[in-house]
Amino acid sequence: MRRDIVFALVKKEGLQIIRDFSSILIAFILPVILLFLFGFGINFDTNTVKIGVVLEDKTSRTVELLDTMRYSRFLDVKIFDSRNAAAKKMLEGKIRGFAVIPNDFSKNLLRNNAGMLSGLKPAEIQVITDGSEPNTAKFVSAYILGAIQTYGLMQNGADSDNMHGIKLIQRFWYNPSLKSTYFILPGSLAIIMTMIGTVLTALVIAREWERGTMEALLTTKVSRGEFLLAKYIAYFLLAMASIIFCFIMIVFVFRVPFYGSFFAFMVVSAFFMLGALGFGFFISTISKDQFIASQIAGVAGFMPAMMLSGLIYEINSMPLFLRILTLFIPARYYVSSISSLFLSGTIMKTIVWNSVILASFAILMFFIVYKLTPARYEV
């Protein structure tokens, strides 16, 4: 083996790596981003959940129980006057569940603790949670149960496993069986469509530059608007066909229920896809290299959509700066809309608000891409 030749080849490869930005991106920038997300953004624990309490029985005992929930570091409690008001807030996603303390709670609890008669009706507390996010629903029930056990321990100083005549009745709305696929599969459309929209179009204009066809197009009378519009239309139709195909698979093959409006589903999907296409065009416009464009699309498109959309990891469990960052991730709003449409129905307030944000992002990306696309080829 000739060491001088090997040394020369190693030197050549080293210089090529230094000059190749994509190698630096993969070797150093990508690991930093992934470590940052895994270290700070991923947390399977739900530290604090927002719940409601419907206090129908307003006595000193129920106030003490309410205070036990309020002072729990796991619960953020809001008081409601009626079940309908609490249910409305849960439907809007403002709270994750609510507990109902009925008007006979104190009376039944007093009788059971006194041991007056056998076979007495227990002091019931109904806990209704949003089953569209199974993991969070389990946390809500567990945290409320823990608060009740703490209350019993404070009152009687007994074993915390003893509920002291209190019976917890659990109900899971929207997804009674707590099947995670009912939430994961619809929400996965955000990741799938981000990959299709961003990665697919990230290669389009970059390929035009690599092959030299971009220069040829710019010497013709085709305007920037016409050029971009043609690209948008072609890939938008392809992407929407893919969305419909995925919808059919989710509903008819995986048997996930769909309670919302198909028209609303298509509208919010169209806005999301236009934004994803625009982001892909933006990447290919600034990189002008297919390999680099595909790498950037994977890091800047796929990874945030998967980790910061609320599909896999609870946003409320993230640090404040990451929660703020999720506000700029379109997939977050798409996941919220799709999950509501599949499991809760058409909640117009949620759909309209998310559609406005997604449409604004799509318009912004089109404007940026339009400005970055040259109007004339300069020799």
Side-chain angles (χ1 to χ4, degrees):
M1 180 182 294
R2 293 175 292 182
R3 296 182 179 179
D4 55 336
I5 293 179
V6 173
F7 178 77
L9 290 174
V10 170
K11 182 179 179 180
K12 188 268 294 182
E13 293 297 332
L15 292 172
Q16 184 173 332
I17 290 174
I18 293 174
R19 294 168 183 169
D20 186 6
F21 174 75
S22 62
S23 299
I24 304 298
L25 175 69
I26 296 173
F28 298 101
I29 306 301
L30 180 59
V32 169
I33 294 174
L34 293 178
L35 287 173
F36 178 80
L37 291 175
F38 278 106
F40 294 99
I42 299 176
N43 188 345
F44 289 103
D45 299 326
T46 301
N47 296 325
T48 303
V49 291
K50 295 182 179 180
I51 69 164
V53 174
V54 181
L55 199 61
E56 296 179 349
D57 183 18
K58 298 179 181 179
T59 63
S60 59
R61 289 180 176 272
T62 58
V63 170
E64 289 176 0
L65 176 57
L66 178 61
D67 288 339
T68 304
M69 294 182 184
R70 278 175 168 170
Y71 292 122
S72 170
R73 69 182 183 89
F74 301 107
L75 298 174
D76 182 3
V77 180
K78 182 177 178 60
I79 310 301
F80 293 96
D81 295 328
S82 66
R83 302 187 187 207
N84 290 336
K88 181 180 179 182
K89 290 297 180 182
M90 189 173 74
L91 190 62
E92 295 175 355
K94 304 297 183 181
I95 58 175
R96 296 299 187 183
F98 61 93
V100 180
I101 303 178
N103 50 25
D104 59 351
F105 175 83
S106 296
K107 180 178 65 176
N108 293 331
L109 181 63
L110 182 62
R111 289 178 177 178
N112 278 277
N113 287 341
M116 294 173 60
L117 293 171
S118 60
L120 289 174
K121 180 182 177 182
E124 297 178 344
I125 297 179
Q126 187 178 35
V127 177
I128 299 173
T129 54
D130 183 356
S132 62
E133 295 187 25
N135 189 51
T136 304
K138 294 175 183 177
F139 275 116
V140 171
S141 296
Y143 290 161
I144 294 177
L145 176 62
I148 294 173
Q149 289 177 338
T150 301
Y151 169 76
L153 184 63
M154 292 171 60
Q155 293 294 315
N156 300 277
D159 184 2
S160 62
D161 290 334
N162 187 355
M163 294 292 288
H164 304 286
I166 301 176
K167 181 180 180 182
L168 200 66
I169 302 175
Q170 302 183 60
R171 297 288 184 269
F172 300 101
W173 286 7
Y174 315 129
N175 185 7
S177 58
L178 291 183
K179 290 185 177 180
S180 59
T181 53
Y182 283 9
F183 173 71
I184 294 295
L185 276 176
S188 67
L189 280 174
I191 297 176
I192 296 171
M193 291 305 111
T194 297
M195 287 298 296
I196 291 176
T198 303
V199 176
L200 192 63
T201 54
L203 306 178
V204 174
I205 299 179
R207 184 167 59 244
E208 299 278 2
W209 283 109
E210 285 186 354
R211 294 178 178 177
T213 55
M214 178 65 76
E215 289 88 343
L217 282 170
L218 294 176
T219 57
T220 65
K221 294 182 180 180
V222 176
S223 66
R224 283 185 297 179
E226 294 169 338
F227 170 75
L228 289 176
L229 187 61
K231 295 289 186 183
Y232 262 93
I233 292 175
Y235 287 96
F236 176 75
L237 293 176
L238 176 63
M240 293 306 293
S242 177
I243 286 177
I244 295 174
F245 172 75
C246 291
F247 176 84
I248 294 173
M249 290 287 293
I250 291 172
V251 174
F252 296 102
V253 176
F254 294 98
R255 301 292 181 179
V256 177
F258 181 77
Y259 297 108
S261 164
F262 182 73
F263 176 76
F265 169 80
M266 292 301 292
V267 169
V268 72
S269 296
F271 287 138
F272 175 73
M273 187 49 59
L274 286 172
L277 293 175
F279 187 63
F281 284 134
F282 167 73
I283 293 172
S284 61
T285 301
I286 61 174
S287 64
K288 299 182 181 180
D289 180 274
Q290 291 189 72
F291 178 75
I292 295 178
S294 63
Q295 298 302 311
I296 296 176
V299 174
F302 172 75
M303 297 303 294
M306 181 177 70
M307 295 185 175
L308 300 177
S309 63
L311 172 63
I312 300 177
Y313 310 111
E314 178 66 32
I315 292 177
N316 290 331
S317 299
M318 299 178 184
L320 177 61
F321 63 95
L322 278 184
R323 293 203 302 270
I324 296 174
L325 181 61
T326 62
L327 297 175
F328 302 95
I329 306 298
R332 169 180 178 166
Y333 305 99
Y334 189 57
V335 168
S336 173
S337 299
I338 295 302
S339 300
S340 297
L341 286 168
F342 268 87
L343 298 177
S344 305
T346 307
I347 307 172
M348 291 305 300
K349 183 178 179 179
T350 301
I351 300 300
V352 171
W353 174 246
N354 290 341
S355 296
V356 169
I357 295 176
L358 293 174
S360 301
F361 179 76
I363 294 171
L364 176 63
M365 292 312 306
F366 180 83
F367 178 78
I368 294 174
V369 173
Y370 180 82
K371 288 296 183 181
L372 292 176
T373 303
R376 292 285 187 274
Y377 175 62
E378 298 179 0
V379 181

PDB file of all heavy atoms in Angstrom, residues 212-239:
ATOM      1  N   GLY A 212     -29.902  23.388 -15.888  1.00  0.00           N
ATOM      2  CA  GLY A 212     -29.761  24.539 -16.768  1.00  0.00           C
ATOM      3  C   GLY A 212     -31.051  24.961 -17.436  1.00  0.00           C
ATOM      4  O   GLY A 212     -31.056  25.916 -18.227  1.00  0.00           O
ATOM      5  N   THR A 213     -32.158  24.279 -17.113  1.00  0.00           N
ATOM      6  CA  THR A 213     -33.428  24.642 -17.742  1.00  0.00           C
ATOM      7  C   THR A 213     -34.008  25.929 -17.160  1.00  0.00           C
ATOM      8  O   THR A 213     -34.833  26.576 -17.802  1.00  0.00           O
ATOM      9  CB  THR A 213     -34.458  23.511 -17.575  1.00  0.00           C
ATOM     10  OG1 THR A 213     -34.578  23.199 -16.184  1.00  0.00           O
ATOM     11  CG2 THR A 213     -34.004  22.260 -18.320  1.00  0.00           C
ATOM     12  N   MET A 214     -33.579  26.282 -15.942  1.00  0.00           N
ATOM     13  CA  MET A 214     -34.053  27.529 -15.351  1.00  0.00           C
ATOM     14  C   MET A 214     -33.595  28.730 -16.176  1.00  0.00           C
ATOM     15  O   MET A 214     -34.371  29.657 -16.440  1.00  0.00           O
ATOM     16  CB  MET A 214     -33.557  27.655 -13.913  1.00  0.00           C
ATOM     17  CG  MET A 214     -33.962  28.956 -13.233  1.00  0.00           C
ATOM     18  SD  MET A 214     -35.755  29.108 -13.017  1.00  0.00           S
ATOM     19  CE  MET A 214     -36.009  28.011 -11.640  1.00  0.00           C
ATOM     20  N   GLU A 215     -32.325  28.707 -16.596  1.00  0.00           N
ATOM     21  CA  GLU A 215     -31.811  29.799 -17.418  1.00  0.00           C
ATOM     22  C   GLU A 215     -32.577  29.906 -18.736  1.00  0.00           C
ATOM     23  O   GLU A 215     -32.889  31.004 -19.211  1.00  0.00           O
ATOM     24  CB  GLU A 215     -30.319  29.603 -17.697  1.00  0.00           C
ATOM     25  CG  GLU A 215     -29.432  29.814 -16.485  1.00  0.00           C
ATOM     26  CD  GLU A 215     -29.260  28.541 -15.684  1.00  0.00           C
ATOM     27  OE1 GLU A 215     -30.069  27.617 -15.870  1.00  0.00           O
ATOM     28  OE2 GLU A 215     -28.339  28.490 -14.848  1.00  0.00           O
ATOM     29  N   ALA A 216     -32.880  28.729 -19.296  1.00  0.00           N
ATOM     30  CA  ALA A 216     -33.619  28.723 -20.550  1.00  0.00           C
ATOM     31  C   ALA A 216     -35.019  29.294 -20.370  1.00  0.00           C
ATOM     32  O   ALA A 216     -35.523  30.049 -21.225  1.00  0.00           O
ATOM     33  CB  ALA A 216     -33.695  27.305 -21.111  1.00  0.00           C
ATOM     34  N   LEU A 217     -35.663  28.948 -19.259  1.00  0.00           N
ATOM     35  CA  LEU A 217     -37.006  29.466 -19.002  1.00  0.00           C
ATOM     36  C   LEU A 217     -36.998  30.975 -18.795  1.00  0.00           C
ATOM     37  O   LEU A 217     -37.900  31.685 -19.245  1.00  0.00           O
ATOM     38  CB  LEU A 217     -37.595  28.790 -17.764  1.00  0.00           C
ATOM     39  CG  LEU A 217     -38.146  27.370 -17.940  1.00  0.00           C
ATOM     40  CD1 LEU A 217     -38.471  26.763 -16.592  1.00  0.00           C
ATOM     41  CD2 LEU A 217     -39.381  27.385 -18.829  1.00  0.00           C
ATOM     42  N   LEU A 218     -35.952  31.463 -18.128  1.00  0.00           N
ATOM     43  CA  LEU A 218     -35.893  32.888 -17.818  1.00  0.00           C
ATOM     44  C   LEU A 218     -35.551  33.755 -19.029  1.00  0.00           C
ATOM     45  O   LEU A 218     -35.681  34.972 -18.972  1.00  0.00           O
ATOM     46  CB  LEU A 218     -34.873  33.133 -16.702  1.00  0.00           C
ATOM     47  CG  LEU A 218     -35.242  32.535 -15.333  1.00  0.00           C
ATOM     48  CD1 LEU A 218     -34.115  32.753 -14.338  1.00  0.00           C
ATOM     49  CD2 LEU A 218     -36.534  33.127 -14.808  1.00  0.00           C
ATOM     50  N   THR A 219     -35.089  33.124 -20.105  1.00  0.00           N
ATOM     51  CA  THR A 219     -34.830  33.892 -21.329  1.00  0.00           C
ATOM     52  C   THR A 219     -36.081  34.014 -22.202  1.00  0.00           C
ATOM     53  O   THR A 219     -36.068  34.742 -23.190  1.00  0.00           O
ATOM     54  CB  THR A 219     -33.711  33.230 -22.146  1.00  0.00           C
ATOM     55  OG1 THR A 219     -34.071  31.871 -22.453  1.00  0.00           O
ATOM     56  CG2 THR A 219     -32.397  33.246 -21.373  1.00  0.00           C
ATOM     57  N   THR A 220     -37.131  33.285 -21.803  1.00  0.00           N
ATOM     58  CA  THR A 220     -38.382  33.364 -22.555  1.00  0.00           C
ATOM     59  C   THR A 220     -39.252  34.487 -22.002  1.00  0.00           C
ATOM     60  O   THR A 220     -38.863  35.206 -21.092  1.00  0.00           O
ATOM     61  CB  THR A 220     -39.137  32.021 -22.476  1.00  0.00           C
ATOM     62  OG1 THR A 220     -39.526  31.789 -21.115  1.00  0.00           O
ATOM     63  CG2 THR A 220     -38.242  30.874 -22.942  1.00  0.00           C
ATOM     64  N   LYS A 221     -40.449  34.582 -22.528  1.00  0.00           N
ATOM     65  CA  LYS A 221     -41.376  35.623 -22.092  1.00  0.00           C
ATOM     66  C   LYS A 221     -42.209  35.194 -20.881  1.00  0.00           C
ATOM     67  O   LYS A 221     -43.128  35.905 -20.479  1.00  0.00           O
ATOM     68  CB  LYS A 221     -42.308  36.003 -23.242  1.00  0.00           C
ATOM     69  CG  LYS A 221     -41.595  36.669 -24.421  1.00  0.00           C
ATOM     70  CD  LYS A 221     -42.581  37.055 -25.497  1.00  0.00           C
ATOM     71  CE  LYS A 221     -41.871  37.728 -26.669  1.00  0.00           C
ATOM     72  NZ  LYS A 221     -42.817  38.127 -27.743  1.00  0.00           N
ATOM     73  N   VAL A 222     -41.892  34.012 -20.340  1.00  0.00           N
ATOM     74  CA  VAL A 222     -42.628  33.523 -19.173  1.00  0.00           C
ATOM     75  C   VAL A 222     -42.278  34.387 -17.966  1.00  0.00           C
ATOM     76  O   VAL A 222     -41.104  34.581 -17.636  1.00  0.00           O
ATOM     77  CB  VAL A 222     -42.270  32.055 -18.882  1.00  0.00           C
ATOM     78  CG1 VAL A 222     -42.976  31.583 -17.607  1.00  0.00           C
ATOM     79  CG2 VAL A 222     -42.652  31.177 -20.057  1.00  0.00           C
ATOM     80  N   SER A 223     -43.291  34.924 -17.292  1.00  0.00           N
ATOM     81  CA  SER A 223     -43.074  35.770 -16.117  1.00  0.00           C
ATOM     82  C   SER A 223     -42.863  34.919 -14.866  1.00  0.00           C
ATOM     83  O   SER A 223     -43.137  33.715 -14.864  1.00  0.00           O
ATOM     84  CB  SER A 223     -44.265  36.698 -15.905  1.00  0.00           C
ATOM     85  OG  SER A 223     -45.427  35.949 -15.577  1.00  0.00           O
ATOM     86  N   ARG A 224     -42.380  35.554 -13.808  1.00  0.00           N
ATOM     87  CA  ARG A 224     -42.192  34.840 -12.549  1.00  0.00           C
ATOM     88  C   ARG A 224     -43.511  34.282 -12.024  1.00  0.00           C
ATOM     89  O   ARG A 224     -43.574  33.148 -11.548  1.00  0.00           O
ATOM     90  CB  ARG A 224     -41.601  35.793 -11.502  1.00  0.00           C
ATOM     91  CG  ARG A 224     -40.138  36.063 -11.651  1.00  0.00           C
ATOM     92  CD  ARG A 224     -39.632  36.922 -10.505  1.00  0.00           C
ATOM     93  NE  ARG A 224     -40.263  38.232 -10.479  1.00  0.00           N
ATOM     94  CZ  ARG A 224     -40.003  39.156  -9.558  1.00  0.00           C
ATOM     95  NH1 ARG A 224     -39.142  38.889  -8.591  1.00  0.00           N
ATOM     96  NH2 ARG A 224     -40.592  40.339  -9.588  1.00  0.00           N
ATOM     97  N   GLY A 225     -44.551  35.091 -12.108  1.00  0.00           N
ATOM     98  CA  GLY A 225     -45.853  34.648 -11.619  1.00  0.00           C
ATOM     99  C   GLY A 225     -46.362  33.433 -12.370  1.00  0.00           C
ATOM    100  O   GLY A 225     -46.885  32.490 -11.765  1.00  0.00           O
ATOM    101  N   GLU A 226     -46.215  33.444 -13.687  1.00  0.00           N
ATOM    102  CA  GLU A 226     -46.674  32.311 -14.504  1.00  0.00           C
ATOM    103  C   GLU A 226     -45.864  31.060 -14.209  1.00  0.00           C
ATOM    104  O   GLU A 226     -46.417  29.954 -14.115  1.00  0.00           O
ATOM    105  CB  GLU A 226     -46.563  32.679 -15.983  1.00  0.00           C
ATOM    106  CG  GLU A 226     -47.512  33.792 -16.411  1.00  0.00           C
ATOM    107  CD  GLU A 226     -47.206  34.307 -17.796  1.00  0.00           C
ATOM    108  OE1 GLU A 226     -46.057  34.123 -18.261  1.00  0.00           O
ATOM    109  OE2 GLU A 226     -48.101  34.899 -18.412  1.00  0.00           O
ATOM    110  N   PHE A 227     -44.560  31.243 -14.043  1.00  0.00           N
ATOM    111  CA  PHE A 227     -43.683  30.111 -13.750  1.00  0.00           C
ATOM    112  C   PHE A 227     -44.046  29.467 -12.411  1.00  0.00           C
ATOM    113  O   PHE A 227     -44.220  28.247 -12.313  1.00  0.00           O
ATOM    114  CB  PHE A 227     -42.228  30.594 -13.744  1.00  0.00           C
ATOM    115  CG  PHE A 227     -41.260  29.585 -13.224  1.00  0.00           C
ATOM    116  CD1 PHE A 227     -40.893  28.492 -13.995  1.00  0.00           C
ATOM    117  CD2 PHE A 227     -40.700  29.713 -11.955  1.00  0.00           C
ATOM    118  CE1 PHE A 227     -39.985  27.554 -13.518  1.00  0.00           C
ATOM    119  CE2 PHE A 227     -39.801  28.785 -11.469  1.00  0.00           C
ATOM    120  CZ  PHE A 227     -39.441  27.703 -12.254  1.00  0.00           C
ATOM    121  N   LEU A 228     -44.186  30.298 -11.379  1.00  0.00           N
ATOM    122  CA  LEU A 228     -44.521  29.774 -10.053  1.00  0.00           C
ATOM    123  C   LEU A 228     -45.929  29.208 -10.002  1.00  0.00           C
ATOM    124  O   LEU A 228     -46.180  28.184  -9.351  1.00  0.00           O
ATOM    125  CB  LEU A 228     -44.363  30.874  -9.003  1.00  0.00           C
ATOM    126  CG  LEU A 228     -42.930  31.299  -8.684  1.00  0.00           C
ATOM    127  CD1 LEU A 228     -42.932  32.452  -7.697  1.00  0.00           C
ATOM    128  CD2 LEU A 228     -42.136  30.128  -8.120  1.00  0.00           C
ATOM    129  N   LEU A 229     -46.853  29.858 -10.664  1.00  0.00           N
ATOM    130  CA  LEU A 229     -48.243  29.386 -10.660  1.00  0.00           C
ATOM    131  C   LEU A 229     -48.339  27.996 -11.275  1.00  0.00           C
ATOM    132  O   LEU A 229     -49.063  27.129 -10.773  1.00  0.00           O
ATOM    133  CB  LEU A 229     -49.132  30.369 -11.418  1.00  0.00           C
ATOM    134  CG  LEU A 229     -50.642  30.100 -11.348  1.00  0.00           C
ATOM    135  CD1 LEU A 229     -51.133  30.154  -9.906  1.00  0.00           C
ATOM    136  CD2 LEU A 229     -51.403  31.107 -12.216  1.00  0.00           C
ATOM    137  N   ALA A 230     -47.609  27.783 -12.366  1.00  0.00           N
ATOM    138  CA  ALA A 230     -47.618  26.476 -13.017  1.00  0.00           C
ATOM    139  C   ALA A 230     -47.063  25.402 -12.079  1.00  0.00           C
ATOM    140  O   ALA A 230     -47.603  24.295 -11.976  1.00  0.00           O
ATOM    141  CB  ALA A 230     -46.804  26.528 -14.302  1.00  0.00           C
ATOM    142  N   LYS A 231     -45.971  25.744 -11.378  1.00  0.00           N
ATOM    143  CA  LYS A 231     -45.386  24.796 -10.434  1.00  0.00           C
ATOM    144  C   LYS A 231     -46.364  24.497  -9.291  1.00  0.00           C
ATOM    145  O   LYS A 231     -46.559  23.341  -8.905  1.00  0.00           O
ATOM    146  CB  LYS A 231     -44.094  25.377  -9.854  1.00  0.00           C
ATOM    147  CG  LYS A 231     -42.971  25.570 -10.873  1.00  0.00           C
ATOM    148  CD  LYS A 231     -42.400  24.255 -11.325  1.00  0.00           C
ATOM    149  CE  LYS A 231     -41.185  24.475 -12.214  1.00  0.00           C
ATOM    150  NZ  LYS A 231     -40.641  23.201 -12.740  1.00  0.00           N
ATOM    151  N   TYR A 232     -46.957  25.549  -8.760  1.00  0.00           N
ATOM    152  CA  TYR A 232     -47.898  25.388  -7.649  1.00  0.00           C
ATOM    153  C   TYR A 232     -49.071  24.499  -8.043  1.00  0.00           C
ATOM    154  O   TYR A 232     -49.455  23.578  -7.311  1.00  0.00           O
ATOM    155  CB  TYR A 232     -48.409  26.750  -7.190  1.00  0.00           C
ATOM    156  CG  TYR A 232     -47.702  27.320  -5.987  1.00  0.00           C
ATOM    157  CD1 TYR A 232     -46.620  28.168  -6.136  1.00  0.00           C
ATOM    158  CD2 TYR A 232     -48.122  27.027  -4.700  1.00  0.00           C
ATOM    159  CE1 TYR A 232     -45.960  28.711  -5.027  1.00  0.00           C
ATOM    160  CE2 TYR A 232     -47.484  27.558  -3.583  1.00  0.00           C
ATOM    161  CZ  TYR A 232     -46.401  28.396  -3.763  1.00  0.00           C
ATOM    162  OH  TYR A 232     -45.759  28.923  -2.669  1.00  0.00           O
ATOM    163  N   ILE A 233     -49.680  24.786  -9.173  1.00  0.00           N
ATOM    164  CA  ILE A 233     -50.879  24.050  -9.593  1.00  0.00           C
ATOM    165  C   ILE A 233     -50.578  22.570  -9.759  1.00  0.00           C
ATOM    166  O   ILE A 233     -51.315  21.700  -9.267  1.00  0.00           O
ATOM    167  CB  ILE A 233     -51.450  24.642 -10.897  1.00  0.00           C
ATOM    168  CG1 ILE A 233     -52.015  26.038 -10.637  1.00  0.00           C
ATOM    169  CG2 ILE A 233     -52.520  23.723 -11.463  1.00  0.00           C
ATOM    170  CD1 ILE A 233     -52.488  26.749 -11.890  1.00  0.00           C
ATOM    171  N   ALA A 234     -49.480  22.257 -10.445  1.00  0.00           N
ATOM    172  CA  ALA A 234     -49.152  20.862 -10.724  1.00  0.00           C
ATOM    173  C   ALA A 234     -48.938  20.069  -9.435  1.00  0.00           C
ATOM    174  O   ALA A 234     -49.521  18.990  -9.235  1.00  0.00           O
ATOM    175  CB  ALA A 234     -47.902  20.793 -11.602  1.00  0.00           C
ATOM    176  N   TYR A 235     -48.141  20.604  -8.543  1.00  0.00           N
ATOM    177  CA  TYR A 235     -47.829  19.872  -7.320  1.00  0.00           C
ATOM    178  C   TYR A 235     -48.942  19.970  -6.278  1.00  0.00           C
ATOM    179  O   TYR A 235     -49.074  19.092  -5.424  1.00  0.00           O
ATOM    180  CB  TYR A 235     -46.494  20.357  -6.745  1.00  0.00           C
ATOM    181  CG  TYR A 235     -45.323  19.880  -7.570  1.00  0.00           C
ATOM    182  CD1 TYR A 235     -44.764  20.691  -8.549  1.00  0.00           C
ATOM    183  CD2 TYR A 235     -44.803  18.601  -7.401  1.00  0.00           C
ATOM    184  CE1 TYR A 235     -43.712  20.249  -9.324  1.00  0.00           C
ATOM    185  CE2 TYR A 235     -43.752  18.149  -8.178  1.00  0.00           C
ATOM    186  CZ  TYR A 235     -43.200  18.969  -9.140  1.00  0.00           C
ATOM    187  OH  TYR A 235     -42.161  18.521  -9.913  1.00  0.00           O
ATOM    188  N   PHE A 236     -49.731  21.016  -6.345  1.00  0.00           N
ATOM    189  CA  PHE A 236     -50.875  21.120  -5.443  1.00  0.00           C
ATOM    190  C   PHE A 236     -51.900  20.036  -5.766  1.00  0.00           C
ATOM    191  O   PHE A 236     -52.437  19.380  -4.862  1.00  0.00           O
ATOM    192  CB  PHE A 236     -51.511  22.503  -5.565  1.00  0.00           C
ATOM    193  CG  PHE A 236     -52.759  22.676  -4.744  1.00  0.00           C
ATOM    194  CD1 PHE A 236     -52.696  22.830  -3.366  1.00  0.00           C
ATOM    195  CD2 PHE A 236     -54.013  22.668  -5.345  1.00  0.00           C
ATOM    196  CE1 PHE A 236     -53.839  22.974  -2.605  1.00  0.00           C
ATOM    197  CE2 PHE A 236     -55.163  22.809  -4.592  1.00  0.00           C
ATOM    198  CZ  PHE A 236     -55.081  22.955  -3.217  1.00  0.00           C
ATOM    199  N   LEU A 237     -52.178  19.834  -7.041  1.00  0.00           N
ATOM    200  CA  LEU A 237     -53.123  18.789  -7.439  1.00  0.00           C
ATOM    201  C   LEU A 237     -52.609  17.409  -7.042  1.00  0.00           C
ATOM    202  O   LEU A 237     -53.378  16.558  -6.572  1.00  0.00           O
ATOM    203  CB  LEU A 237     -53.365  18.856  -8.958  1.00  0.00           C
ATOM    204  CG  LEU A 237     -54.096  20.110  -9.463  1.00  0.00           C
ATOM    205  CD1 LEU A 237     -54.192  20.090 -10.985  1.00  0.00           C
ATOM    206  CD2 LEU A 237     -55.482  20.224  -8.849  1.00  0.00           C
ATOM    207  N   LEU A 238     -51.313  17.187  -7.234  1.00  0.00           N
ATOM    208  CA  LEU A 238     -50.725  15.911  -6.835  1.00  0.00           C
ATOM    209  C   LEU A 238     -50.840  15.702  -5.332  1.00  0.00           C
ATOM    210  O   LEU A 238     -51.211  14.616  -4.866  1.00  0.00           O
ATOM    211  CB  LEU A 238     -49.259  15.862  -7.270  1.00  0.00           C
ATOM    212  CG  LEU A 238     -48.465  14.613  -6.846  1.00  0.00           C
ATOM    213  CD1 LEU A 238     -49.060  13.365  -7.486  1.00  0.00           C
ATOM    214  CD2 LEU A 238     -46.995  14.761  -7.228  1.00  0.00           C
ATOM    215  N   ALA A 239     -50.545  16.743  -4.572  1.00  0.00           N
ATOM    216  CA  ALA A 239     -50.588  16.637  -3.113  1.00  0.00           C
ATOM    217  C   ALA A 239     -52.008  16.430  -2.597  1.00  0.00           C
ATOM    218  O   ALA A 239     -52.235  15.645  -1.670  1.00  0.00           O
ATOM    219  CB  ALA A 239     -49.977  17.891  -2.492  1.00  0.00           C
TER     220      ALA A 239
END
